[in-house]
Amino acid sequence: ALIIALLMASVLIVTPGSETVSAASSSAIIQIKADGSVEGTDKIVQKGSVYTLTADIQGSVESNEAFIFIMKDNIIFDGAGYTILGSGKGTAIYTLRSQNVKIQNCHITNFETGINFWMVANWPSNSSYLGLPSASRNEIVNNSIEVVGKAFSNSSLEAGWCVYLSDAVNTTLLNNRFNTQDYKGGLFFAPS
């Protein structure tokens, strides 16, 4: 019985075309760094200024933490219709004070926040946003975002929102589909 239990405990089921990034590993987050390099996954390919997802990915982060960080300006992040799946907490895509970044064609599900332009606790320590101007000229286009939690009832201000815009100006949102547990949780605007 012990041998059978050990064998059953060692079985891992993996879905083809998806990648799980666990919070316990050193690659718990994905970064598109300011120098253009991608860290934390091989499921994002770069061609010029376009970064394209090549498979479904899954991440597990805590509340007020982010899974994907976009730290490079003047790029397109194209989800290519793939799913970014969370474990019920945190933010799927995070960008703070970005300039001219377009996030398109993503299916984001099971995070507390879909796309966040405000603060998170796990901002990479090797990155600096201090002294940068407000986020500007960003676009959020053709995304499907489903979030968990209710706006205004969580410990994190950003929880329960599909898109949380704070300290962001001249942002374009076009052809997005939002699904929330709270009718107030689609889009949050705050003055910069």
Side-chain angles (χ1 to χ4, degrees), residues 71-156:
M71 297 178 273
K72 180 164 180 57
D73 293 335
N74 304 305
I75 69 163
I76 295 171
F77 179 78
D78 188 351
Y82 288 106
T83 298
I84 303 168
L85 176 64
S87 61
K89 294 184 179 179
T91 292
I93 301 174
Y94 177 76
T95 180
L96 176 68
R97 300 186 177 166
S98 59
Q99 306 295 311
N100 197 34
V101 170
K102 184 176 187 179
I103 300 170
Q104 66 183 22
N105 304 321
C106 297
H107 178 232
I108 297 168
T109 187
N110 207 33
F111 284 91
E112 290 173 308
T113 310
I115 301 171
N116 187 356
F117 283 80
W118 191 231
M119 303 292 288
V120 291
N122 67 333
W123 178 261
S125 60
N126 60 347
S127 301
S128 178
Y129 59 86
L130 298 176
L132 296 176
S134 296
S136 179
R137 300 178 323 277
N138 297 293
E139 298 179 54
I140 301 169
V141 180
N142 295 325
N143 299 288
S144 171
I145 304 172
E146 302 171 35
V147 295
V148 298
K150 293 191 175 186
F152 301 117
S153 65
N154 299 285
S155 59
S156 171

